[in-house]
Amino acid sequence: MVFAPDTEVALRTAVNLINSAANGEEKLATPEDLDRFLEQEGFSGSRTRDADELASVHALRTELARLWTADEDAAVEGVNRLLREAQALPQLLKHDHWDWHLHATTREAPLAHRMGTEAAMALADVIRSKEMDRMLVCAADDCDAVLLDLSRNRSKRYCDTGNCANRAHVAAYRARRASGE
C-alpha cells in the first residue's frame, strides 16, 4: 500500500471522474448518469440532482484533469484553491461501511465541494509524499484517459477505460512477428 486506504479510494474516484470524459466520450451527460457514477464510487451525502450540480461536477472534472498533469507548484496551487473554496475543515468521521477517516466538509456541503475536497486531500498526500509520478496519462497513442500507478515497480502505463494495454501488446507482438518474417 502506497497511501492510506481512503486516499487511494479518493484518488481512484478522481481518476474515474476525469476518465468520464476521456477520448471525447461524455459518460456524465445527465443527472441520472451522475447518480450511477456516485453509487458506483460509494459517494454519499446530500444532492440536488439538478443541472447546476452536474455542471459543477463537470467543472471539477476539468480542474482535476488539469491538476493530474500539472507540475508540483501548479498542483499545490490547485489543491489549495479547492480546499479554500470548500472552506475545508478536516475532521475524523465514521459512516456507512467506513471506519475512521478524514473528511473536510459536511455531508450537506454541495456535491462538487465534497468531491473536490476529497480529491484535493488525496492529492495533498500524493504531493507531500513526492509521488506525483504515479499520476499518469495513458501511454496509448489514441487515448487521453488518466491512471494512477500504485504498483510496487511503477510499471502501470495503460488506463482501465478500454483495451489500451491489450491493443498495445497485440501491436507489439505483430510488429515483432513482422520484423522476424
Side-chain angles (χ1 to χ4, degrees):
M1 175 172 39
V2 177
F3 302 106
D6 57 330
T7 297
E8 288 188 13
V9 168
L11 290 169
R12 285 191 179 107
T13 297
V15 165
N16 293 337
L17 179 60
I18 295 166
N19 288 345
S20 70
N23 304 315
E25 184 179 349
E26 177 56 73
K27 294 180 183 171
L28 297 178
T30 67
E32 292 76 23
D33 294 336
L34 181 57
D35 288 343
R36 283 188 291 280
F37 175 83
L38 295 171
E39 171 131 356
Q40 179 182 345
E41 296 299 322
F43 215 91
S44 59
S46 68
R47 298 279 315 283
T48 60
R49 290 183 170 79
D50 60 16
D52 288 341
E53 182 177 70
L54 182 62
S56 67
V57 170
H58 284 174
L60 172 63
R61 177 177 63 190
T62 300
E63 175 66 10
L64 292 177
R66 189 187 66 71
L67 292 177
W68 204 263
T69 57
D71 64 30
E72 184 176 81
D73 290 337
V76 167
E77 181 182 318
V79 164
N80 286 339
R81 183 176 48 256
L82 286 171
L83 293 171
R84 218 175 18 256
E85 288 173 358
Q87 298 176 352
L89 180 61
Q91 52 196 301
L92 284 169
L93 293 176
K94 188 189 276 192
H95 63 87
D96 300 324
H97 65 282
W98 291 98
D99 200 357
W100 292 112
H101 61 285
L102 277 174
H103 273 265
T105 60
T106 65
R107 292 175 57 88
E108 295 76 29
L111 177 62
H113 283 178
R114 287 183 286 122
M115 293 178 77
T117 300
E118 292 288 322
M121 289 174 48
L123 290 170
D125 281 351
V126 172
I127 294 166
R128 291 180 322 130
S129 301
K130 299 294 186 194
E131 296 284 356
M132 287 186 68
D133 59 340
R134 292 183 179 276
M135 298 166 40
L136 304 167
V137 175
C138 184
D141 292 335
D142 60 345
C143 183
D144 63 3
V146 300
L147 62 119
L148 177 65
D149 181 5
L150 295 177
S151 66
R152 272 182 211 234
N153 63 359
R154 299 171 185 260
S155 61
K156 188 169 181 178
R157 296 292 169 253
Y158 298 98
C159 70
D160 298 325
T161 63
N163 297 316
C164 294
N166 188 48
R167 285 185 293 116
H169 294 134
V170 168
Y173 170 77
R174 288 181 179 158
R176 284 191 305 273
R177 288 203 36 132
S179 67
E181 291 179 357

